[in-house]
C-alpha cells in the first residue's frame, strides 16, 4: 500500500509537469525564438524598426584637384549607407578659412570638413569642432593605423578632434631640360646645401630671366627645412621657446637669403610678383623646394610636363631636414546630423577611403600600408622621395595655443629681411622675441 501511494504521487507530479510544458509551448507556438516582445509595455526592437531618415551631408574641401577622389569616396560611402548622401563642396584655399571663420561662431560649419594643422587650435579651443575621444576609446577607430603619429596634430589638452587624411613632405623639384642644356647631372641623394648653391649659380641666366633656385621666403616649403638640416630648430621640443635665434638657425637663414643676393635665385620682389612655383612651371626656375600636394599642379603645366622630376632635399651640416604635415577630417560641433556625420568621418578614415585616395593620385594617404598605389600613380615621377623622407621629418610645429599668434606675425618680420630693409640676423632675433612673448602670454 505504501509503495502504491508513492507511485500515485509521482504519477501526478509527472502529469503536472507535462501540462505546464505543453501550456508554455502552446503560448509560444506562433512566436519564433528571440522575437522581440511587441506588447505595449516593451521597448525591444524599436531601434531596428525605426525608419532611417534621408540625410544630405556637406563635406567641404579646398583642393579642386582632389575633388574627384573625394567624390568617389563619398559615392562608395553612400552605396553602403543609402540614406546618407554627401555633397562635396570645394572652396578655394584663399577663401576657405574666411568662410569657415564666419561659419564657426554662427553655427553653420559644414557637417564634415578638411582641417589644417595651422588652423586647428583656433577651432578646437573655440569648441567649433566635435571631440571624438569617446569614439576612439570605444574602439570605433584606431589611431595607430596612421603614419608618423599624425593624429597628434589634431589633439589638444587630452582630446582628439580629427582623423588623419593624408600627409605631405617636401621635395626638391628640378627641371631636367635646364640641367641637360647645362650638361649638369641631376640632383641625387649625395647633394648637400653647398652643392645646391653651387649648381644654382651655374644654372642661373638672369639676362634670360632664368634662375637656378627659388630661395623663397617661406616656412614649410622653405627655410624651416634649412634650419633643421643645419642643426637649428623652429621651436624647442616642448614648444616653450623659439629656435629662430639659435646660431645654427640664423646661419641657415642667411645662406638662403644670400642666394637672392648672388643672383642664383630671383629676388624677393620677383617671387612676390610671380609666385615661385609658377616660375618653376613656366621653365624659369631650375630648382625649387615644394610640397607633395603641388605634384598635380606642377605636372599640369604644358611647358615642363615630362621635363621635370623630384629629388630628396639636400643634406645639411647635421641631417636631412624636412617638415611633415597632414590634413585631417573633422566634424562640426553644431551639426544637426552628428550620427550620420560620424559614420562618414569614420569612413573617411578607413583603409578603403585611403586606397581610393592613393589609386586616384590625390594625395599620400595617411593610413598605413596604402601608400604604394600613390607611388605608382605617376610612374614618370620619382615620388618615393616623399615617403622615404618621412623618417627624417618632424611634425609641422602648430601644436600650441601660441601658434596662431606668432605664425601670423612671422612673415611680417622676415619679409623685411628678404626685402633688404634689415639684416637677416636681426629679423631672426626679432621673430624669436615675438614668438617667446606669444608663448608666455598664452600659457
Amino acid at each position: 500500500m505504501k509503495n502504491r501511494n508513492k507511485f500515485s504521487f509521482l504519477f501526478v507530479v509527472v502529469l503536472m509537469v507535462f501540462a505546464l510544458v505543453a501550456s508554455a509551448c502552446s503560448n509560444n507556438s506562433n512566436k519564433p525564438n528571440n522575437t522581440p516582445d511587441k506588447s505595449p509595455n516593451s521597448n525591444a526592437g524599436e531601434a531596428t524598426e525605426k525608419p532611417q531618415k534621408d540625410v544630405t551631408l556637406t563635406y567641404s574641401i579646398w583642393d579642386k584637384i582632389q575633388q574627384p577622389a573625394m567624390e568617389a569616396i563619398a559615392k562608395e560611402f553612400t552605396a553602403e549607407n543609402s540614406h546618407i548622401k554627401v555633397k562635396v563642396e570645394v572652396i578655394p584655399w584663399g577663401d576657405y578659412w574666411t568662410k569657415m571663420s564666419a561659419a564657426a561662431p554662427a553655427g553653420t560649419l559644414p557637417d564634415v570638413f578638411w582641417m589644417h594643422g595651422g588652423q586647428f587650435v583656433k577651432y578646437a579651443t573655440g569648441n567649433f569642432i566635435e571631440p571624438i575621444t569617446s569614439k576612439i576609446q570605444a574602439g570605433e577607430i584606431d589611431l595607430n593605423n596612421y603614419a608618423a603619429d599624425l593624429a597628434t596634430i589634431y589633439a589638444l589638452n587630452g582630446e582628439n578632434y580629427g582623423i588623419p587624411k593624408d600627409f605631405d613632405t617636401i621635395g626638391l623639384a628640378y627641371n631636367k631640360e635646364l640641367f641637360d642644356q647645362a650638361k649638369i647631372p641631376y640632383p641625387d641623394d649625395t647633394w648637400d646645401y653647398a652643392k645646391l648653391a653651387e649648381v644654382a649659380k651655374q644654372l642661373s641666366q638672369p639676362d634670360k630671366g632664368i634662375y637656378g633656385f627659388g630661395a623663397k621666403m617661406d616656412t614649410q616649403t622653405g627655410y624651416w627645412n634649412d634650419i633643421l638640416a643645419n642643426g637649428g630648430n623652429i621651436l624647442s621640443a616642448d614648444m616653450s621657446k623659439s629656435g629662430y635665434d639659435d646660431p645654427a638657425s640664423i646661419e641657415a637663414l642667411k645662406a638662403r637669403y644670400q642666394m637672392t643676393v648672388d643672383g642664383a635665385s630671383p629676388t624677393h620682389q620677383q617671387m612676390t610678383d610671380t609666385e615661385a612655383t609658377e616660375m618653376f612651371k613656366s621653365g624659369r626656375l631650375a630648382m625649387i623646394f615644394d610640397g607633395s600636394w603641388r605634384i598635380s599642379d606642377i605636372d599640369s603645366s604644358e611647358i615642363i610636363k615630362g621635363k621635370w622630376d623630384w629629388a630628396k632635399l639636400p643634406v645639411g651640416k647635421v641631417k636631412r631636414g624636412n617638415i611633415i604635415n597632414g590634413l585631417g577630417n573633422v566634424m562640426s560641433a553644431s551639426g544637426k546630423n552628428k550620427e550620420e556625420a560620424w559614420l562618414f568621418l569614420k569612413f573617411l578614415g578607413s583603409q578603403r577611403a585611403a586606397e581610393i585616395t592613393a589609386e586616384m593620385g590625390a594625395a599620400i594617404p595617411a593610413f598605413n600600408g596604402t601608400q604604394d598605389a600613390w607611388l605608382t600613380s605617376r610612374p614618370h615621377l620619382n615620388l618615393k622621395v616623399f615617403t622615404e623622407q618621412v623618417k627624417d621629418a618632424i611634425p609641422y610645429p602648430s601644436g600650441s595655443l601660441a601658434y596662431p599668434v606668432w605664425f601670423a606675425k612671422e612673415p611680417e618680420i622676415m619679409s623685411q629681411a628678404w626685402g633688404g630693409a634689415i639684416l637677416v640676423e636681426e629679423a631672426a632675433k626679432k621673430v624669436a622675441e615675438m614668438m617667446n612673448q606669444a608663448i608666455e602670454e598664452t600659457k
Side-chain angles (χ1 to χ4, degrees), residues 34 76 86 102 104 121 165 208 214 229 235 258 284 287 295 319 321 384 394 407 419 425 433:
N34 301 321
E76 190 149 326
V86 179
V121 171
K165 171 192 173 294
K208 296 181 179 178
L235 277 170
Q258 189 63 37
R284 295 162 57 196
M287 295 179 287
I295 293 169
K319 62 179 181 178
K384 68 178 184 295
I394 69 163
F407 188 73
E425 183 171 358
E433 182 181 359

Side-chain angles (χ1 to χ4, degrees), residues 296-341:
S296 294
D297 179 30
I298 296 173
D299 211 34
S300 68
S301 169
E302 292 300 324
I303 297 174
I304 64 166
K305 191 174 182 65
K307 302 175 183 178
W308 73 290
D309 208 346
W310 292 100
K312 291 180 182 178
L313 298 190
V315 179
K317 288 184 176 180
V318 175
K319 62 179 181 178
R320 197 188 306 275
N322 211 295
I323 297 291
I324 186 170
N325 193 22
L327 301 188
N329 283 302
V330 298
M331 58 184 282
S332 170
S334 58
K336 297 179 180 178
N337 300 296
K338 288 187 181 181
E339 182 178 342
E340 293 81 5

Side-chain angles (χ1 to χ4, degrees), residues 339-360:
E339 182 178 342
E340 293 81 5
W342 166 248
L343 289 177
F344 182 53
L345 184 63
K346 184 165 66 170
F347 186 79
L348 286 168
S350 70
Q351 180 175 341
R352 180 58 191 144
E355 289 169 348
I356 293 171
T357 297
E359 290 161 5
M360 298 184 70

Side-chain angles (χ1 to χ4, degrees), residues 262-282:
D262 292 345
S265 165
T267 65
H268 178 56
Q269 186 59 55
Q270 286 174 301
M271 290 183 286
T272 300
D273 294 340
T274 305
E275 199 263 336
T277 303
E278 293 302 316
M279 295 180 75
F280 181 79
K281 287 166 62 178
S282 67

